[in-house]
Amino acid sequence: MMSDKKDDGSDASILVETRPKTKRPPLYKVLLLNDDYTPMEFVVHVLERFFGMNHAQAFEVMLTVHKKGVAVVGVFSHEIAETKVGQVMDFARRHQHPLQCTMEKED
Ligand code: TYC
């Protein structure tokens, strides 16, 4: 309508944030997948080398993947998760093992 007042951004319409929203960036799970060919010792080495696990932790997580088919091996920012996946996939390929590593957004 002609008589409608337009919001000119003057004082009355300024919204004040009481609690500044600092949205945290999403986190990503890095998953290791089981296969029938990659040697167990190789997987243990990958977990020690790229995920900072000690030998006992790495062996335990490797066995979980072997038995269950998949396990979360770490949770990271998008950039770090992508780097880890790339490092594992590259290392596996260079050693001609079919080991698969993927990432998935956390709920
Ligand atoms: N299943 C493999 C074997 O019996 C071992 C293995 C474990 C492979 C974990 C991949 O992510 C993996 N040699």
Side-chain angles (χ1 to χ4, degrees), residues 32-40 43 62 65-66 99-100:
L32 203 60
L33 278 60
N34 188 39
D35 66 74
D36 292 340
Y37 306 104
T38 305
M40 291 185 171
V43 178
M62 179 281 296
V65 179
H66 176 70
L99 182 63
Q100 294 292 306

